[in-house]
Amino acid sequence: MLKFFNKGFFVQYAFTFVLGLLLWLPAIVMSPLVEEPNFYWGELAKVIFDVNTNFPVTGIILAYLLVYITALFINRMATDFGLVSKTSTLPLFVFIVMIGFSPSFHYMSPFIIILPLLMLLYLLLFKHYHNENNVFLSFDTGVILGIIALIYPPTAIVILVIWISLLSFKGISWRNFVVSLLGLLFPAFLAYSYYFFSGNESLAAGLFPIKTLFNFNLTYFPLSLNSLLNLILLLVSFISAIKVMQQQKNLTIQQRSHYTAVAVSIFLLLFVQLFLSLQLSTSLLLVPAAALTVSNMLSNSSLKSKWINLLLVSVVIVSLINSFLPMIYATWELL
């Protein structure tokens, strides 16, 4: 299977699309339980929740299309910036499987909306390496993060990813750090201005979380296949980020800069997931960066290809089982 995804022909794209459809099929047949907003959600996230509850099936279909488009974006970006071989579709496959395994990921949540924005943020960060006059690029990167933070405010911590990444790029000055912070604040300023001039200034408080308490996420500990797979997702993301950081000497300077941004974002998003989150679907934020690091880890693994192939097949089978379990349970109760 690893050899199969080291190519980039139509059959690889068709295979991943059909696999994704199979993983999302149970959610389309029987709508999954949508998690309600909590005090960490921004105002835009609450709007998405209302639309999703009123049009659940449409939301699920749109969610899958958005996920697959994001997967294509990830795969193209990985090949263009030398993160995988030029013809590989492995990041595409890994991304679809990582998101497709859990029914809690299949509806149109705010985090599905964030996925393409995260990829755009990584793209703008990577472009810093190729542009010496990149002050406006830093501002654009901050603006994208500001939009993401309006949807889920705890993600504002990713500004640290931008700042740490800037240290590894050429042609960087103090202006890049300042304008990236201004870019982060700019969307919130526009939103506040809208509330102010419309006479609803009191509602602007909803742009940011009411509380900033650290709540260790206990939702992973109940025994279930879904919670176990979520724990594995967090663990694999963490290990793959460490592996990428350890092999820095084997990478080019460009790859080193790109993987630094990706690995640091995994560490910070893990922090958000464990301490600034009350829902499983926040794990979605890890998947774009994790798909890149896991693809790199699989491509450079010292294991024999037959063991990697067995691992990939096993992951696909377990993901299909976990996706279809709610439908199986519902059918069993009807009988």
Side-chain angles (χ1 to χ4, degrees), residues 38-143:
N38 55 62
F39 56 75
Y40 284 129
W41 290 38
E43 289 299 304
L44 291 179
K46 296 174 182 176
V47 173
I48 297 169
F49 172 80
D50 292 338
V51 173
N52 190 48
T53 51
N54 293 326
F55 308 98
V57 176
T58 303
I60 293 168
I61 296 173
L62 289 177
Y64 175 64
L65 293 177
L66 191 57
V67 163
Y68 193 78
I69 291 171
T70 305
L72 293 175
F73 187 22
I74 288 175
N75 199 78
R76 179 60 184 270
M77 192 177 72
T79 55
D80 287 351
F81 289 96
L83 302 179
V84 293
S85 62
K86 290 296 182 181
T87 57
S88 178
T89 49
L90 190 60
L92 172 68
F93 168 73
V94 171
F95 183 83
I96 292 296
V97 172
M98 277 187 164
I99 290 186
F101 80 86
S102 175
S104 60
F105 294 168
H106 293 169
Y107 61 90
M108 180 60 84
S109 71
F111 309 106
I112 293 288
I113 303 293
I114 290 176
L115 290 180
L117 294 174
L118 269 179
M119 292 313 304
L120 182 56
L121 186 146
Y122 293 139
L123 176 63
L124 293 175
L125 269 181
F126 291 174
K127 283 189 173 182
H128 277 76
Y129 183 87
H130 304 277
N131 294 274
E132 293 189 7
N133 298 320
N134 45 32
V135 173
F136 289 107
L137 197 58
S138 297
F139 180 79
D140 294 340
T141 308
V143 168

Side-chain angles (χ1 to χ4, degrees), residues 264-316:
V264 172
S265 68
I266 287 178
F267 296 139
L268 283 177
L269 290 172
L270 271 171
F271 176 82
V272 170
Q273 172 61 56
L274 293 175
F275 298 103
L276 295 177
S277 170
L278 296 176
Q279 58 272 330
L280 290 173
S281 52
T282 319
S283 303
L284 278 168
L285 302 180
L286 285 165
V287 178
L292 294 172
T293 54
V294 170
S295 299
N296 179 274
M297 188 171 64
L298 291 173
S299 300
N300 297 288
S301 176
S302 58
L303 292 174
K304 292 183 178 180
S305 58
K306 66 177 182 179
W307 295 115
I308 297 177
N309 292 335
L310 179 61
L311 174 64
L312 293 176
V313 172
S314 301
V315 168
V316 171

Side-chain angles (χ1 to χ4, degrees), residues 128 133-146 159 162-163 166 172-187:
H128 277 76
N133 298 320
N134 45 32
V135 173
F136 289 107
L137 197 58
S138 297
F139 180 79
D140 294 340
T141 308
V143 168
I144 295 300
L145 179 57
I159 188 65
I162 297 176
W163 288 343
L166 290 177
I172 299 298
S173 68
W174 62 270
R175 296 180 183 85
N176 296 85
F177 295 90
V178 173
V179 300
S180 62
L181 179 60
L182 293 176
L184 170 65
L185 299 175
F186 186 64

